[in-house]
Amino acid sequence: MSFLAKNYNRKKISFKYGKGAYLYSTNNKKYLDFVQGIAVNSLGHSHPKLVKTIKEQSKKLWHVSNAFQIPEGEKLAKKLCTKTFADFVMFQNSGAEATEAAIKVARRYFYSIGKPNKNRILCIKNSFHGRTLAAIFASGSKKMTEGFGPKVTGFDHFNFGDHNSLKKKINKNTAAIMVETIMGEGGIKVIPDWCLNELRILCNKKKILLILDEVQCGIGRSGDFFAFEKSKVKPDIVPIAKGIGGGFPIGAVLMNKKVASGMTPGTHGSTFGGNPLAMSIGNTVMDIVSNKKFLNNVKSLSKYFLFKLNKVQEKYPNVIKQIRGRGFLIGIQLCKDQTEFIKKLMDNHLLTIRAAENVVRILPPLNVKKNELDLALKIIEKVCSQIK
Ligand SMILES: *Cc1c(COP(=O)(O)O)cnc(C)c1O
């Protein structure tokens, strides 16, 4: 009898420990973990540098209030701003908090320049921005919002790729467009670079803000530190989370100087957000992941992996419809429901996770080794041959 609420459909397996790309189950089996806590363990399990950081920092200082200076947070914010478009950072604890804080920053900016009615956020229908009340209504997903009314208003929606609808939905009350640079839960759908560029131009023309949700696709996952960097587009606000803590809960909102001007003392806060323990871990992850050589390795290994996956697709076009994604944010879109495929992969000791549109999501640690990718390819090909 479990005393945990039944809000998850959990697989009947648990783990004793993890090392790098591998997880070891309580019934003594070894699994190649290509879920990695849903793109959270960017450096795999129990990375020695993260273990060292947490050991050392836990003996010094875990938590102090944001009423005081936190040097570890200053350090991480400086690194994030030096490496990216951002001028300022606000730390949170999770992705949903980060996306909601991003919405607050956008609204507060227009309020601060005397345009409080510019407060509506335009999002992609069936996107994913987290599970808190406002975030589920931002997604516009029927499944996620059902039974959670009254509706949190202030969000408008357009369908992925429907540029006419996008333009029509912008009105005088629109404050920002908020989209995932690469949709994760929604089925690994990449917004093409030219679209991102057009989005930026559109936002400039309409004098509204561009929020790019990089909670899943950011922090090296795409092969660039941020997925939007490839397009050269500069967003105004970027919520991040998942990968930045390497397994420790950290969220953050990155913003440019212009919009940050609205966030005066007292406008936002978080009890836990940015505490010394979290920040010291974030610093270690950041030092490793933002390194050019590290990112180049993600790029070249993921290109190899995607090339090989496409070969498997060509061999089994009746099983695999399409290979999607970039870097190590990969979706195998099947011709039919993915449940059986994921189960068979797991029977063969490869852990993956579903996404919308019949997609099997593949999220290796960013420091995955070539032989681990080859092992996964072998298992995927084997399962393809077993699917009718
Ligand atoms: C996971 C995710 C979130 C929510 O993060 P939580 O930490 O679960 O609150 C928000 N946006 C995107 C794009 C995500 O993938």
Side-chain angles (χ1 to χ4, degrees):
M1 157 87 200
S2 169
F3 292 91
L4 292 170
K6 304 267 183 278
N7 58 317
Y8 294 107
N9 190 5
R10 297 174 193 271
K11 297 210 180 339
K12 288 196 172 42
I13 188 169
S14 57
F15 303 98
K16 268 194 297 210
Y17 62 96
K19 187 106 198 70
Y22 291 98
L23 273 174
Y24 297 82
S25 67
T26 42
N27 59 351
N28 299 314
K29 286 187 177 133
K30 181 180 175 183
Y31 289 87
L32 186 54
D33 178 16
F34 279 11
V35 180
Q36 293 294 336
I38 314 191
V40 165
N41 309 314
S42 34
L43 301 173
H45 297 281
S46 53
H47 189 283
K49 283 195 177 151
L50 288 177
V51 172
K52 184 167 176 272
T53 298
I54 211 166
K55 256 190 189 163
E56 284 172 5
Q57 185 62 37
S58 69
K59 287 181 208 159
K60 287 195 275 187
L61 185 64
W62 291 29
H63 181 84
V64 293
S65 163
N66 281 303
F68 307 103
Q69 307 282 325
I70 301 178
E72 295 83 0
E74 295 283 353
K75 227 167 105 179
L76 180 53
K78 186 176 176 184
K79 284 175 196 167
L80 284 165
C81 290
T82 310
K83 293 267 181 192
T84 72
F85 78 99
D87 300 309
F88 293 99
V89 181
M90 221 162 55
F91 287 111
Q92 316 289 135
N93 311 283
S94 67
E97 269 186 295
T99 54
E100 290 215 6
I103 294 165
K104 284 182 75 177
V105 171
R107 288 184 178 163
R108 182 75 196 186
Y109 164 70
F110 283 110
Y111 173 87
S112 75
I113 61 165
K115 294 179 176 166
N117 292 332
K118 271 183 106 59
N119 53 34
R120 298 192 70 85
I121 312 294
L122 184 50
C123 307
I124 293 176
K125 184 98 186 144
N126 294 324
S127 53
F128 189 84
H129 300 291
R131 291 290 199 138
T132 50
L133 272 175
I136 56 174
F137 286 97
S139 82
S141 144
K142 185 166 177 288
K143 204 172 136 206
M144 277 199 286
T145 54
E146 199 169 12
F148 296 112
K151 184 174 179 175
V152 176
T153 56
F155 299 100
D156 298 303
H157 297 98
F158 65 99
N159 288 328
F160 184 90
D162 188 346
H163 299 164
N164 282 334
S165 158
L166 157 66
K167 281 172 199 156
K168 263 193 230 145
K169 292 281 173 80
I170 299 173
N171 60 41
K172 64 179 195 319
N173 297 122
T174 305
I177 297 173
M178 176 166 80
V179 297
E180 297 164 72
T181 319
I182 302 175
M183 286 176 83
E185 307 300 310
I188 317 296
K189 295 206 274 201
V190 183
I191 299 184
D193 291 345
W194 70 269
C195 278
L196 284 176
N197 274 293
E198 291 293 317
L199 259 182
R200 180 70 269 182
I201 292 166
L202 184 65
C203 287
N204 291 350
K205 205 172 108 198
K206 301 278 183 185
K207 294 195 166 56
I208 59 178
L209 304 173
L210 180 59
I211 305 174
L212 294 178
D213 182 345
E214 294 249 351
V215 169
Q216 188 157 164
C217 61
I219 324 297
R221 186 53 55 187
S222 73
D224 292 297
F225 186 72
F226 281 132
F228 62 77
E229 284 172 9
K230 200 168 138 294
S231 70
K232 308 273 189 287
V233 158
K234 282 194 166 60
D236 298 289
I237 306 170
V238 172
I240 62 170
K242 293 192 167 86
I244 187 67
F248 198 89
I250 303 178
V253 190
L254 280 62
M255 62 196 102
N256 64 23
K257 212 181 318 178
K258 180 176 96 174
V259 300
S261 62
M263 301 310 287
T264 49
T267 49
H268 189 62
S270 164
T271 301
F272 294 111
N275 84 12
L277 188 59
M279 293 297 98
S280 61
I281 294 163
N283 272 297
T284 301
V285 174
M286 183 70 190
D287 288 343
I288 298 171
V289 171
S290 67
N291 180 286
K292 231 192 157 73
K293 253 170 82 181
F294 182 91
L295 289 171
N296 280 338
N297 193 52
V298 173
K299 272 188 197 135
S300 60
L301 268 187
S302 62
K303 270 195 188 125
Y304 162 78
F305 190 53
L306 279 164
F307 176 80
K308 290 284 193 180
L309 279 175
N310 275 300
K311 289 278 168 220
V312 179
Q313 190 278 330
E314 282 165 26
K315 199 168 159 191
Y316 297 97
N318 296 327
V319 180
I320 300 176
K321 192 169 166 194
Q322 193 188 24
I323 304 295
R324 296 171 168 188
R326 204 161 82 211
F328 285 133
L329 181 49
I330 296 168
I332 302 178
Q333 189 190 32
L334 302 185
C335 300
K336 57 173 198 180
D337 181 82
Q338 71 279 62
T339 312
E340 185 195 1
F341 199 95
I342 289 174
K343 183 177 176 302
K344 281 190 188 300
L345 291 176
M346 191 165 147
D347 292 343
N348 285 281
H349 298 213
L350 172 62
L351 302 177
T352 59
I353 194 157
R354 61 195 298 133
E357 304 188 351
N358 297 341
V359 165
V360 178
R361 199 167 8 158
I362 311 232
L363 302 160
L366 302 182
N367 54 356
V368 67
K369 297 186 185 77
K370 182 165 175 292
N371 66 322
E372 292 159 348
L373 294 173
D374 286 333
L375 175 58
L377 284 163
K378 220 172 106 184
I379 297 169
I380 291 163
E381 183 152 4
K382 180 179 164 195
V383 168
C384 282
S385 75
Q386 294 170 346
I387 296 273
K388 299 275 167 331

